[in-house]
Amino acid sequence: MERREEEEERKTAAQSEEEEEEEEENEVEGTSAAERGNTDDDDDEDENLERNKDGADDEDDDAADTKKKKSKQKRGSVTSCSDKKCVPGIIYLGHIPPKLRPKHLRNLLSVYGEIGRIFLQPEDGEVRRKKRKSGLRRCDFTEGWVEFRDKRVAKRVAASLHNTTMATRKRQAFTSDLWCIKYLHRFQWTHLSERLAYEQTVMQQRLRTEVSQAKRETNFYLNNVDKSAHLDKLRKKRQRDGQQVDDKTWDFTQRQTEEEIQNKKKKRKDSVTQKQLDKARLIQQKSQSNVSLLAKIFNSSQS
């Protein structure tokens, strides 16, 4: 009995030892697996970190590239006008209200874009003289040209502002006036300057011709005055000497007036009608003489 109990105790001890060994082995395997898992996780985390770092670096590089591109685009947009020499556009203003000056026009249109040169055509000299006689010394303008630095802006302004009020508020000046704008396609400022120079040369040529004609007329008049004075002296001298002086008269036909022309036409009509009446009377007289002859002939034949 004692031996059996000892054997059973040994068996239980051996089993417990085996179970402890198995548990230790399992723990070792678990720790090793955990360490492996941790190492794997660490490796994965390292790979993810590296990937994230690479992605962040790529994103930083992309952001830097985009920033560089944007900065280049901005610089290009800024320098494009200087490099490409932005083509200016010119608009034509067909109506300029009174009291509108170039500074007012610049203030009104500079809101839409950069403006270069402005030219407003002043009124004619005759109109100014009439105004001065009436008491107005103001010089108004009839038409104008405005140059924008960019022709695209000029096209937009001409399309959007045509037939709209000049002022944006009710109580501002020029509220009752409308824009009359047209974009001049392929028109340059040199064309306008050439046209103005041509008009100025034409005006100067006209003034020269008028002055030369007035000089000719005055010279002709003065020469005739000198001739008449010389002829008067000769006439007086001949009268003193007792010689016969012939007064010269100039015969010339004056142009007939309208009344004289109408009277002549009436006289011609009257003369024509009178001739026709005379002819009719002669025909009647001849017919009467023939009737008397025929009556005599027939009466003699019957008897």
Side-chain angles (χ1 to χ4, degrees):
M1 296 290 289
E2 294 175 355
R3 290 179 181 178
R4 287 179 183 176
E5 291 176 355
E6 289 176 357
E7 287 176 358
E8 289 175 358
E9 289 175 357
R10 289 175 184 175
K11 286 180 181 178
T12 53
Q15 288 177 359
S16 62
E17 287 177 357
E18 286 176 358
E19 288 176 357
E20 288 177 357
E21 287 177 357
E22 285 177 359
E23 287 176 359
E24 287 176 358
E25 287 176 359
N26 289 327
E27 287 176 359
V28 170
E29 286 177 359
T31 54
S32 63
E35 289 177 355
R36 288 175 186 173
N38 292 326
T39 55
D40 293 331
D41 292 332
D42 294 333
D43 293 331
D44 293 330
E45 286 177 0
D46 293 331
E47 289 177 358
N48 291 325
L49 288 170
E50 288 178 357
R51 288 176 186 175
N52 290 326
K53 285 181 181 179
D54 295 331
D57 293 333
D58 295 332
E59 287 179 357
D60 293 334
D61 294 333
D62 294 333
D65 293 332
T66 54
K67 285 180 181 179
K68 287 180 181 178
K69 287 180 181 179
K70 286 180 180 179
S71 62
K72 285 181 181 179
Q73 287 177 359
K74 287 180 181 179
R75 289 176 185 174
S77 63
V78 173
T79 59
S80 62
C81 291
S82 61
D83 295 337
K84 295 182 180 179
K85 292 182 181 178
C86 278
V87 179
I90 298 171
I91 59 173
Y92 170 73
L93 301 174
H95 170 67
I96 305 295
K99 298 181 181 181
L100 183 69
R101 298 291 176 266
K103 60 180 181 180
H104 302 149
L105 193 61
R106 189 179 290 276
N107 291 330
L108 289 171
L109 294 177
S110 61
V111 181
Y112 305 100
E114 188 179 357
I115 292 174
R117 291 169 283 190
I118 294 174
F119 176 76
L120 299 180
Q121 181 69 33
E123 291 176 337
D124 295 332
E126 295 180 358
V127 178
R128 285 189 212 163
R129 289 190 205 102
K130 289 179 181 178
K131 283 187 176 181
R132 284 175 186 173
K133 287 179 181 178
S134 63
L136 289 173
R137 296 184 179 179
R138 185 181 67 218
C139 178
D140 293 329
F141 303 96
T142 56
E143 55 186 357
W145 291 264
V146 180
E147 182 187 27
F148 282 88
R149 295 295 184 189
D150 192 357
K151 68 177 183 180
R152 292 173 292 181
V153 177
K155 287 180 182 178
R156 287 194 213 107
V157 169
S160 60
L161 292 183
H162 185 59
N163 279 337
T164 58
T165 55
M166 287 188 176
T168 55
R169 297 177 184 176
K170 290 184 178 179
R171 293 186 179 180
Q172 284 183 346
F174 317 116
T175 51
S176 59
D177 295 307
L178 299 177
W179 288 108
C180 183
I181 301 176
K182 183 180 179 182
Y183 175 74
L184 301 177
H185 186 61
R186 291 182 181 177
F187 187 81
Q188 296 178 0
W189 198 262
T190 54
H191 299 159
L192 179 61
S193 58
E194 287 174 0
R195 181 193 165 196
L196 294 172
Y198 173 72
E199 288 180 356
Q200 193 172 4
T201 52
V202 168
M203 189 183 293
Q204 289 176 357
Q205 188 66 30
R206 192 180 297 165
L207 288 172
R208 284 173 193 159
T209 53
E210 289 177 357
V211 169
S212 62
Q213 187 176 358
K215 283 182 179 179
R216 277 191 236 110
E217 290 176 356
T218 52
N219 291 326
F220 180 73
Y221 176 74
L222 292 172
N223 290 327
N224 287 331
V225 169
D226 293 335
K227 284 180 182 179
S228 65
H230 183 65
L231 291 172
D232 289 335
K233 285 181 182 180
L234 289 174
R235 195 180 294 111
K236 288 177 181 179
K237 188 176 181 181
R238 286 177 183 177
Q239 285 178 0
R240 286 173 190 171
D241 295 338
Q243 294 179 2
Q244 188 176 0
V245 179
D246 295 331
D247 293 331
K248 291 184 179 181
T249 58
W250 288 272
D251 296 330
F252 59 92
T253 56
Q254 189 175 1
R255 186 178 177 182
Q256 294 178 352
T257 60
E258 191 68 24
E259 292 180 358
E260 290 176 353
I261 293 167
Q262 294 295 332
N263 291 327
K264 276 189 176 181
K265 286 181 180 180
K266 284 180 181 179
K267 285 180 181 179
R268 285 177 186 174
K269 286 181 181 179
D270 294 337
S271 63
V272 169
T273 53
Q274 190 67 30
K275 286 179 181 179
Q276 289 176 357
L277 289 171
D278 292 338
K279 284 181 181 180
R281 285 173 187 172
L282 288 171
I283 291 166
Q284 284 180 0
Q285 288 176 1
K286 286 179 181 180
S287 64
Q288 287 177 0
S289 62
N290 292 327
V291 167
S292 61
L293 288 169
L294 289 169
K296 289 179 181 179
I297 291 166
F298 282 114
N299 288 326
S300 61
S301 63
Q302 286 178 2
S303 60

